[in-house]
């Protein structure tokens, strides 16, 4: 059996978390421990300590957040990844951030996309009078929805049949709605609540816009591509730009 741990906080309670985690691991006696997300790598490593239990570090994010922008000190990440039995990344392009010693025990396991066999490009009933740009993602800074809104504002006057629908919830909801109001786009850009029928929304749309700065292996993007929607991403996002072909969607 494996022990799966998600992100944990660091700070004043760090030592207590290490001891608590070690206690759980000792009780369960797992054959392997899989640590998800970089924030938890150090804690899991310290909790296991001298216990002879192999650790697998699963990177579920773009390493650029840590190695390029320093959200976490990469020197500490390297130290613990060298001791791991294995490291898992979602795209081979992420390997450029790792030292050769780490790459030797690193494998690529991408996400999967669930769709009907041979779905290809799906035709569905659309309102020909309205063209939809759709975006899906949490309303947080790294998803970069502000860029989409401001970019659309530059062309909205010229393409009056187009609207933007952004599906998601999060801390930037108020900020984005205020921006929409300031730009006078209340009837052109809409912040939508999370939907359990997002595939139906994708099928009714014409373009999938995904300005996210960082992604591990975006399910939202690949699900849109799987049904044939042309996708637009920012070039600086390694994972998103590697998933699409220039000018081919």
């Amino acid at each position: 059996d494996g022990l799966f741990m998600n992100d944990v906080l660091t700070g004043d309670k760090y030592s207590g978390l290490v001891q608590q985690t070690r206690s759980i691991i000792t009780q369960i006696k797992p054959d392997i421990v899989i640590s998800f997300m970089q924030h938890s790598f150090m804690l899991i490593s310290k909790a296991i300590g001298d216990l002879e239990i192999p650790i697998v570090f699963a990177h579920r994010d773009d390493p650029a957040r840590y190695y390029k922008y320093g959200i976490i000190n990469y020197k500490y990440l390297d130290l613990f990844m060298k001791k791991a039995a294995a490291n898992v990344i979602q795209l081979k392009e992420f390997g450029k951030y790792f030292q050769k010693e780490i790459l030797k025990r690193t494998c690529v396991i991408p996400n999967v996309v669930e769709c009907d066999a041979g779905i290809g490009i799906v035709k569905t009933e659309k309102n020909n009078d309205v063209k939809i740009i759709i975006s899906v993602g949490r309303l947080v800074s790294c998803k970069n929805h502000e860029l989409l809104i401001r970019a659309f504002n530059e062309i909205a006057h010229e393409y009056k049949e187009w609207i933007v629908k952004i599906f998601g919830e999060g801390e930037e909801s108020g900020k984005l709605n205020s921006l929409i109001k300031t730009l006078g786009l209340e009837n052109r850009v809409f912040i939508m609540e999370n939907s359990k029928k997002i595939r139906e929304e994708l099928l009714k749309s014409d373009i999938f816009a995904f300005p996210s700065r960082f992604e591990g292996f975006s399910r939202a993007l690949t699900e849109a591509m799987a049904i044939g929607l042309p996708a637009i991403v920012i070039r600086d996002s390694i994972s998103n730009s590697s998933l699409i072909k220039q000018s081919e969607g």
Side-chain angles (χ1 to χ4, degrees):
D1 293 331
L3 174 62
F4 294 82
M5 302 286 295
N6 288 318
D7 290 302
V8 294
L9 300 175
T10 59
D12 295 338
K13 297 182 179 180
Y14 183 71
S15 296
L17 285 170
V18 170
Q19 294 302 319
Q20 184 180 4
T21 303
R22 184 179 176 88
S23 177
I24 294 172
I25 292 173
T26 302
Q27 291 174 26
I28 295 177
K29 295 182 174 67
D31 296 301
I32 187 170
V33 172
I34 302 177
S35 177
F36 284 87
M37 302 298 287
Q38 289 86 336
H39 292 82
S40 67
F41 291 177
M42 185 185 300
L43 181 139
I44 296 299
S45 294
K46 288 194 172 184
I48 289 180
D50 58 356
L51 300 175
E52 295 183 358
I53 302 173
I55 309 173
V56 174
F57 289 146
H59 299 255
R60 309 297 296 175
D61 205 347
D62 182 348
R65 296 188 70 179
Y66 313 98
Y67 287 88
K68 188 175 180 180
Y69 297 100
I71 294 177
I72 295 178
N73 192 323
Y74 70 88
K75 292 182 180 178
Y76 289 111
L77 282 178
D78 286 349
L79 177 63
F80 290 106
M81 285 191 292
K82 287 177 182 178
K83 296 180 180 180
N87 294 283
V88 179
I89 56 178
Q90 295 179 295
L91 291 167
K92 62 180 178 61
E93 286 80 1
F94 292 158
K96 74 175 187 177
Y97 289 102
F98 300 148
Q99 298 177 17
K100 291 182 179 180
E101 184 179 348
I102 297 173
L103 283 175
K104 289 178 181 178
R105 54 172 67 92
T106 298
C107 64
V108 178
I109 303 179
N111 279 345
V112 297
V113 180
E114 191 174 328
C115 62
D116 294 339
I119 190 170
I121 298 177
V122 178
K123 293 184 178 180
T124 186
E125 290 188 15
K126 296 181 180 180
N127 183 346
N128 293 325
D129 296 327
V130 178
K131 301 292 185 180
I132 300 173
I133 299 172
I134 187 172
S135 187
V136 180
R138 292 174 295 122
L139 306 183
V140 294
S141 177
C142 69
K143 296 298 182 182
N144 209 16
H145 295 298
E146 180 178 344
L147 176 63
L148 171 58
I149 296 170
R150 291 189 180 279
F152 182 72
N153 182 57
E154 295 294 318
I155 61 172
H157 66 283
E158 187 174 351
Y159 299 94
K160 296 182 179 180
E161 73 276 21
W162 286 85
I163 64 172
V164 175
K165 289 185 176 182
I166 300 173
F167 285 84
E169 298 175 358
E171 60 193 40
E172 290 211 335
S173 176
K175 174 185 175 181
L176 295 175
N177 275 303
S178 294
L179 176 61
I180 291 168
K181 186 175 181 180
T182 299
L183 297 176
L185 295 174
E186 298 98 318
N187 297 320
R188 305 290 301 280
V189 180
F190 305 92
I191 304 296
M192 315 293 290
E193 294 182 351
N194 287 334
S195 174
K196 293 183 179 180
K197 297 183 178 180
I198 200 66
R199 178 175 168 176
E200 285 82 349
E201 297 294 340
L202 290 170
L203 289 169
K204 292 186 291 187
S205 301
D206 298 279
I207 292 176
F208 185 80
F210 201 55
S212 181
R213 295 186 179 95
F214 305 105
E215 293 289 334
F217 188 110
S218 173
R219 289 286 298 273
L221 174 59
T222 50
E223 285 172 358
M225 293 171 63
I227 64 171
L229 269 184
I232 300 174
V233 302
I234 62 173
R235 186 174 291 125
D236 287 345
S237 175
I238 298 173
S239 61
N240 293 340
S241 60
S242 70
L243 288 172
I244 68 172
K245 292 182 179 180
Q246 187 70 22
S247 302
E248 292 184 25

